[in-house]
Amino acid sequence: MAYSDKVIDHYNNPRNVGQLDKSSESVGTGLVGAPECGDVMRLQIRVNPETQVIEEAKFKTFGCGSAIASSSLATEWVKGKTVSEAMEIKNTDIVKELSLPPVKIHCSVLAEDAIRAAIGDWKKKNAVGEAAAVAAN
Amino acid sequence: MSKNTFDDDVTAVPVATANGNGSTAPKGVKLPIYMDNHATSPVDPRVLEAMMPYFTGIFGNAASRNHSFGWEAEGAVERAREQVAKLIGATAKEIIFTSGATESNNLALKGIAEMYRERGNHIITQVTEHKAVLDTCKRLEKSGYRVTYLPVKADGLIDLEDLKRAFDEKTILVSIMFANNEIGVVQPVAEIGKLCRERGVLFHSDGVQAAGKISVDVNSMNIDVLSLSGHKIYGPKGVGALYVRRRNPRVQISEQINGGGHERGMRSGTLNVPGIVGLGKACEIAGQEMATEGERLGKLRDKLKAKLEGSLDYIHVNGSMEHRLPNNLNISFVYVEGESLLMGINDVAVSSGSACTSATLEPSYVLKALGLGDDVAHSSIRFGLGRFNTEAEVDYVADKVIDIVKKLRELSPLYEMVKEGIDISKIEWQAH
């Protein structure tokens, strides 16, 4: 398997590794995948309640190099975006950026799921509906 | 990349894709390091030297009876037959040359099944066999044969009581591998042979990983048919052999390839003379050096294991350590995914039980047969030491693996949760 340079870069120097306080009101946590499938991603975001901008993002991933790279990239991309902007990130964008081969597309899907799950968790905590999020955009 | 498992030929490791980990080799270590000798092994220079004349000067067809070119080739083949036979305690006439162990396994199973069809239609094998046996059995099932697939215990060995219960009046053949290609466990072959002999049932064993590594004796072990391969024992690829017992009992096999009646009619096709010479030489060397080589590799393997276990938690060896090839180590590094580990140790060629590259996402069927969960199977690495590995290489590999496993565990949410005392088996994961 020839990994793309970008996958190798994220694997060697993963961005934003770590964890945020799950109990904090401003933090959304997405935990997706399953150990038996060989991929688990945890992506967390800290959202500014005023601006709805994602000010901080952290991840940890159990998975192959492409899964690690997809989630590392996802944290880079969500940072600085509003939650509704972050919802626009598509797995296909990740595939393109990392030049993932067909067998690794599921890694990008999982990263997209992780973003959505983290945002979903934050919305639930803050009782933010879709409408409010869009309005704030 | 190939599909899952480390089935022999499997998942090559991306040794060539330098990932910029910036590792430099210590003195006396040349990178990349090859430690995947269950998949294949390099040709021993002594083997190559023996083969060389048979490509050009002595190029005759061993079946040509009318001139010296043919006689010389035939003489070389017969010497090789003696060398192969000697390694396993057989006689030269009992050795049939083939293109490799996959063909040998096909010939043994299909050839016996067909020949003994009148006597019965039941075959007994076990679940961690190589695909060359399992897929052949599946094919035979489609042709009306019944196949019993014995389970293995957590240590990878079959339970002899299960075998005893599996025999019935229609059983014609038992096929149980000598040593496993993924976990290196050595089945109780002599006991199996005895049970088969007592019942008048033929016993075939896939001896590919065992012959030349540990003692194999077809007579004391009551093996009737044994598959061998050249490239697992520092011989060339594309050549193998099948031992077929000629006395007590005389085993008969239906040919699967028709043609000029070569190899006593059991395997037609012009003989691969250079390959056969190489296989013979490889067997001769293995026979001479097996004891010292086994001891040396066993010590290196144990050192590798001790270093890994000394520095890492949550690792465990798959398969029996007691009944095991000296050169095999198969370890699960729990909470680290195997492919990501391979990526980190890309200057070391080993295999993974993970199947992240396969469309099915199914990890190794061998590890699953031991009762490992998919998550643990995904975390396993097979180390296959060989004749040309050195202690310095083992040290390098151990240090590198420890380093990368620690790094990946820093990245692993599972490892973090377990360390925090969370029972991850209680979490409702969403399979994908």
Side-chain angles (χ1 to χ4, degrees):
Chain A
M1 168 84 44
Y3 299 98
S4 72
D5 290 345
K6 283 183 180 161
V7 169
I8 291 168
D9 181 43
H10 278 281
Y11 174 85
N12 286 332
N13 310 293
R15 330 288 201 262
N16 307 309
V17 177
Q19 73 171 315
L20 300 172
D21 178 10
K22 208 161 64 173
S23 59
S24 163
E25 281 284 294
S26 60
V27 169
T29 300
L31 182 66
V32 297
E36 59 268 27
C37 301
D39 291 301
V40 174
M41 288 181 190
R42 187 188 64 204
L43 192 144
Q44 294 179 297
I45 51 173
R46 183 191 302 283
V47 183
N48 182 318
E50 303 301 317
T51 60
Q52 300 213 344
V53 167
I54 297 169
E55 295 184 332
E56 203 178 1
K58 293 281 183 198
F59 87 99
K60 279 200 178 187
T61 288
F62 162 84
C64 65
S66 301
I68 290 169
S70 296
S71 39
S72 172
L73 178 68
T75 59
E76 276 195 318
W77 278 1
V78 298
K79 258 172 61 170
K81 286 192 169 67
T82 63
V83 289
S84 51
E85 283 166 354
M87 289 294 281
E88 300 296 311
I89 296 171
K90 296 277 181 293
N91 83 291
T92 48
D93 303 331
I94 296 171
V95 170
K96 210 170 151 195
E97 174 68 14
L98 296 175
S99 310
L100 296 181
V103 293
K104 295 298 183 185
I105 287 174
H106 70 275
C107 299
S108 69
V109 173
L110 208 56
E112 182 188 314
D113 290 349
I115 296 171
R116 288 164 182 271
I119 292 172
D121 182 53
W122 173 80
K123 281 184 178 170
K124 214 166 106 188
K125 273 184 186 171
N126 293 276
V128 179
E130 280 296 326
V134 170
N137 187 10
Chain B
M1 195 170 278
S2 68
K3 51 183 183 158
N4 65 355
T5 81
F6 349 41
D7 149 79
D8 301 5
D9 310 312
V10 183
T11 322
V13 173
V15 285
T17 56
N19 73 4
N21 276 344
S23 47
T24 46
K27 209 162 177 251
V29 173
K30 189 171 167 286
L31 298 177
I33 293 168
Y34 188 76
M35 209 171 273
D36 198 19
N37 286 278
H38 299 295
T40 191
S41 59
V43 171
D44 188 300
R46 293 168 290 181
V47 170
L48 180 64
E49 193 187 353
M51 293 170 67
M52 288 304 280
Y54 295 93
F55 287 103
T56 50
I58 315 171
F59 62 86
N61 186 327
S64 295
R65 295 289 153 81
N66 304 317
H67 48 66
S68 64
F69 295 89
W71 303 330
E72 279 193 81
E74 191 192 13
V77 167
E78 293 317 310
R79 277 193 298 281
R81 219 183 284 282
E82 296 276 355
Q83 290 167 319
V84 175
K86 195 177 172 202
L87 182 66
I88 57 170
T91 62
K93 282 186 173 173
E94 296 174 307
I95 303 300
I96 304 296
F97 290 114
T98 67
S99 65
T102 293
E103 185 190 335
S104 294
N105 285 333
N106 271 264
L107 177 56
L109 271 68
K110 291 174 183 165
I112 288 172
E114 210 173 289
M115 185 61 83
Y116 293 84
R117 185 70 180 86
E118 295 295 305
R119 190 182 295 177
N121 69 340
H122 181 231
I123 296 166
I124 301 170
T125 185
Q126 57 91 26
V127 292
T128 67
E129 289 292 313
H130 191 273
K131 288 286 183 188
V133 166
L134 293 177
D135 287 354
T136 303
C137 284
K138 282 189 195 122
R139 173 73 179 267
L140 287 168
E141 282 185 283
K142 283 185 189 154
S143 316
Y145 291 86
R146 283 185 298 120
V147 180
T148 299
Y149 300 89
L150 300 176
V152 292
K153 298 176 287 184
D155 63 3
L157 301 177
I158 65 160
D159 185 334
L160 291 169
E161 295 304 315
D162 287 341
L163 174 59
K164 284 181 198 166
R165 279 190 292 271
F167 286 105
D168 65 33
E169 72 283 359
K170 293 287 188 187
T171 308
I172 50 174
L173 176 68
V174 169
S175 179
I176 304 284
M177 69 198 328
F178 211 114
N180 185 270
N181 49 298
E182 289 191 31
I183 53 178
V185 298
V186 178
Q187 296 290 350
V189 172
E191 288 85 343
I192 296 166
K194 186 164 175 281
L195 292 174
C196 291
R197 188 57 55 86
E198 286 166 359
R199 290 161 176 78
V201 170
L202 295 178
F203 175 33
H204 164 256
S205 187
D206 176 350
V208 167
Q209 298 289 343
K213 311 282 168 57
I214 55 174
S215 176
V216 175
D217 183 78
V218 292
N219 288 319
S220 67
M221 295 168 172
N222 289 311
I223 298 169
D224 298 312
V225 189
L226 181 80
S227 301
L228 300 168
S229 169
H231 73 106
K232 310 289 191 190
I233 53 170
Y234 315 98
K237 294 172 180 61
V239 65
L242 186 66
Y243 157 78
V244 183
R245 178 175 290 282
R246 270 169 73 87
R247 295 183 58 197
N248 306 318
R250 181 185 179 88
V251 178
Q252 291 182 288
I253 286 190
S254 286
E255 77 276 15
Q256 301 298 311
I257 295 178
N258 302 104
H262 307 74
E263 298 297 272
R264 305 201 339 269
M266 281 189 255
R267 202 279 189 179
S268 288
T270 299
L271 292 180
N272 169 9
V273 178
I276 289 167
V277 167
L279 172 60
K281 185 69 183 174
C283 287
E284 182 189 271
I285 296 170
Q288 289 162 352
E289 301 183 356
M290 185 163 61
T292 49
E293 186 169 289
E295 197 187 333
R296 186 182 79 88
L297 293 180
K299 280 183 184 158
L300 290 182
R301 188 269 315 274
D302 292 343
K303 184 177 187 189
L304 177 62
K305 177 172 175 282
K307 283 189 95 165
L308 296 172
E309 288 177 338
S311 297
L312 297 169
D313 54 1
Y314 300 106
I315 73 176
H316 66 82
V317 174
N318 297 311
S320 167
M321 276 308 292
E322 187 188 349
H323 304 283
R324 196 183 195 98
L325 294 174
N327 65 326
N328 174 281
L329 190 60
N330 187 307
I331 292 197
S332 291
F333 300 90
V334 188
Y335 314 124
V336 169
E337 194 275 332
E339 193 187 324
S340 66
L341 177 53
L342 291 188
M343 191 172 166
I345 55 169
N346 69 337
D347 50 9
V348 179
V350 291
S351 284
S352 164
S354 170
C356 200
T357 50
S358 81
T360 60
L361 296 175
E362 277 294 312
S364 155
Y365 68 92
V366 172
L367 297 177
K368 290 185 73 174
L370 305 187
L372 263 64
D374 282 11
D375 50 339
V376 181
H378 274 300
S379 305
S380 72
I381 298 285
R382 174 185 71 180
F383 301 90
L385 281 82
R387 182 174 291 167
F388 303 106
N389 286 127
T390 64
E391 185 164 6
E393 288 179 337
V394 167
D395 288 335
Y396 178 85
V397 170
D399 292 343
K400 185 90 187 216
V401 169
I402 290 164
D403 183 46
I404 298 296
V405 168
K406 283 183 174 168
K407 180 190 153 186
L408 290 171
R409 281 183 173 166
E410 285 300 304
L411 273 182
S412 170
L414 303 178
Y415 186 69
E416 182 194 284
M417 288 181 215
V418 168
K419 282 286 182 185
E420 286 174 358
I422 297 167
D423 182 354
I424 60 170
S425 67
K426 296 279 194 299
I427 294 175
E428 274 187 44
W429 302 101
Q430 350 142 244
H432 57 282

